[in-house]
């Protein structure tokens, strides 16, 4: 009977040790959050470790994550990091029950991982980024050491002790809980057989949890308020009327068919792809963009005010469809918006940039964002007369923070990863030989023109339409070339022309529809293909998204009733 009580006691202590580990982990994150408020929000450990993980994720895995979790990929990553952290924290707590210093040292080791992650991020501003992780884990190590001290048996009488504590090495000075009196009183208070400090543990654990919650809350609210000036600056932006407005939409650009993608994608529904775990909140009033590098004879720094009011006479408004290289055939990472911005060619010409075809020394424009992203575009494309721009407005609003407020780049015809830098703050003219940008270092192609693609929006896969006329409809895009033809094939039948909506500009997608007369029930496969205005037919050849975008035909299988 007594043996059972004893092993029960051991079991409770192991659980409480795991709890101590969890509390220490919680304290580490909370303290780190508080310290990060004094450094930078991005230096908080979960953000830093998550960011570093994103940087090092093999492209195939990243692609898989984007495919399966979509825009939630970052939430999943953070929850994953927290889960791993919690497991290790509990393990360290249990280890500490027997090897108190080893456990505490293990906690600090975690801090080193966090610190290295924070300083290795492309946007790291220096060694200070290591502070939140280091301070957080030193506090946590101390806390773990202290909590475990309450759990240890103080009188290792060989007869009374079983389990982990039995094999414990002779306690050294540091491993003996402070205060002999305290120990004596516990012996009176606890049962003679286990002798650990129950009340002391409960008080210490509660105090630690409360203090951590306070520190974490303070840190979060300080980090939150540093974003407030950015939020305020965005709410004050009034976009001027563009000097060169977008042409009115040609009649018949937008089909009214249930289930088709709307011609303009609302900002709230616009796909989002980036590496930022915390959306950068940039204050427009302090934002600066510097243009410099090879062949820039008059380097320049511009403010947001310079762009929207200083150059108000040059603001253009254009409809441009943006697409992601990670979009699978039939996938969702493509969207169309009406953008307002400053023509990039004008700005580049003013600072002395000459395109390579006219003898300019730089063939690559590297845009850098406040979060350290680098995106390299061909200077030739940017300056060839297309509407490459520094965008400030999206569908009549200042850019949403998620889409790059205050300023992002856009180059019609190029995938986002080689053209659409959000939260831009620096433009450097260089060469493709001299510099590989972020995604190119991760084995994506240096150049990324958007491929000619088409997608069936309706019917959805596995839909069960009734016999009769089924409206098949969707979008097709070949930015900067334009869509000339869309065709539909039912099962292995002949290709039949779809009805095209009016084309807005060659830089936008084009809607299409196909009234399908179906008189046989059962399973049917609908396939779509587009032809662009250069005469190129969308290829049937399936390629993965890496390195320069997926290709192949989109098919949907439906069961006709
Ligand atoms: N700063 C920054 N800009 C970025 C990215 C990024 O990760 N960071 N991703 C690029 C990619 S891959 C794409 S497809 C587009 C997506 O823009 P959106 O999120 O506004 O749709 O942004 C581009 N600009
Ligand atoms: Mo992308």
């Amino acid at each position: 009977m007594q043996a059972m009580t004893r092993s029960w006691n051991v079991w409770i202590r192991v659980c409480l040790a795991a709890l101590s580990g969890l509390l220490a982990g919680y304290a580490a994150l909370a303290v780190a959050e508080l310290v990060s408020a004094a450094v930078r929000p991005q230096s908080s450990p979960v953000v830093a470790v998550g960011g570093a993980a994103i940087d090092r994720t093999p492209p195939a895995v990243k692609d898989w994550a984007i495919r399966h979790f979509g825009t939630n990929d970052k939430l999943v990553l953070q929850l994953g990091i927290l889960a791993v952290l919690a497991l290790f924290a509990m393990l360290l707590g249990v280890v500490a029950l027997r090897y108190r210093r080893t456990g505490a040292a293990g906690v600090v080791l975690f801090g080193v991982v966090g610190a290295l992650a924070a300083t290795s991020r492309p946007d790291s501003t220096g060694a200070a980024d290591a502070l939140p992780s280091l301070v957080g884990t030193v506090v946590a190590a101390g806390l773990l050491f202290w909590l475990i001290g309450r759990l240890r048996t103080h009188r290792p009488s060989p007869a009374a002790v079983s389990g982990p504590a039995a094999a414990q090495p002779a306690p050294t000075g540091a491993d003996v809980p402070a205060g002999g009196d305290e120990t004596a009183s516990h012996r009176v208070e606890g049962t003679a057989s286990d002798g650990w400090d129950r009340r002391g543990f409960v008080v210490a654990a509660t105090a630690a949890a409360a203090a951590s919650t306070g520190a974490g809350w303070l840190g979060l609210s300080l980090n939150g308020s540093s974003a407030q000036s950015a939020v305020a600056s965005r709410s004050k932006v009034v976009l001027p009327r563009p000097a060169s407005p977008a042409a009115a939409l040609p009649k018949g650009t937008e089909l009214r068919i249930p289930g088709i993608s709307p011609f303009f994608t609302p900002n709230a529904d616009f796909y989002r792809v980036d590496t930022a775990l915390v959306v950068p909140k940039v204050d427009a009033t302090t934002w600066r963009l510097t243009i410099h590098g090879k062949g820039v004879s008059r380097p320049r720094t511009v403010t947001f005010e310079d762009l929207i009011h200083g150059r108000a006479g040059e603001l253009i408004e254009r409809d441009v469809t943006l697409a992601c290289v990670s979009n699978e055939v039939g996938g969702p990472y493509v969207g169309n918006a009406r953008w307002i911005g400053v023509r990039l060619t004008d700005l580049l010409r003013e600072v002395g940039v000459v395109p390579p075809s006219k003898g300019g020394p730089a063939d690559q424009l590297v845009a850098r964002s406040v979060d350290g992203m680098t995106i390299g575009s061909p200077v030739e494309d940017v300056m060839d007369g297309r509407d490459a721009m520094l965008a400030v407005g999206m569908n009549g609003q200042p850019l949403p923070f998620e889409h790059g407020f205050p300023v992002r780049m856009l180059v019609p015809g190029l995938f986002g990863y080689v053209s659409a830098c959000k939260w831009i703050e620096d433009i450097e003219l260089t060469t493709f030989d001299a510099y590989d940008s972020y995604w190119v270092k991760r084995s994506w192609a240096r150049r990324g023109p958007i491929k000619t693609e088409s997608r069936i929006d309706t019917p959805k896969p596995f839909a069960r339409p009734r016999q009769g006329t089924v409206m098949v409809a969707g979008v097709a895009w070949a930015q900067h070339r334009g869509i000339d033809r869309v065709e539909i094939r039912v099962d292995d039948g002949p290709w039949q022309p779809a009805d095209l909506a009016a084309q807005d500009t060659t830089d936008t997608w084009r809607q299409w529809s196909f009234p399908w007369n179906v008189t046989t029930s059962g399973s049917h496969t609908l396939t779509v293909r587009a032809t662009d205005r250069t005469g190129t037919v969308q290829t049937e050849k399936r390629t993965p998204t890496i390195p320069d975008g997926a290709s192949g035909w989109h098919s949907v299988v439906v069961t006709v009733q």
Side-chain angles (χ1 to χ4, degrees), residues 116-129:
L116 287 178
T119 50
S120 77
R121 295 281 358 253
D123 62 338
S124 171
T125 48
D129 285 342

Side-chain angles (χ1 to χ4, degrees), residues 270-276 322-325 339 369-371 373 375 394 402-404 408 415-417 420-423 439:
F270 206 96
Y271 82 89
R272 176 187 161 203
V273 170
D274 57 57
T275 58
L322 183 60
C324 180
V325 70
W339 310 86
S369 72
V370 300
D371 63 331
M373 171 54 58
I375 287 186
M394 181 179 186
E402 289 80 5
H403 297 290
R408 77 176 305 168
F415 280 127
Y417 85 106
C421 188
K422 306 193 272 190
W423 315 293
W439 298 106

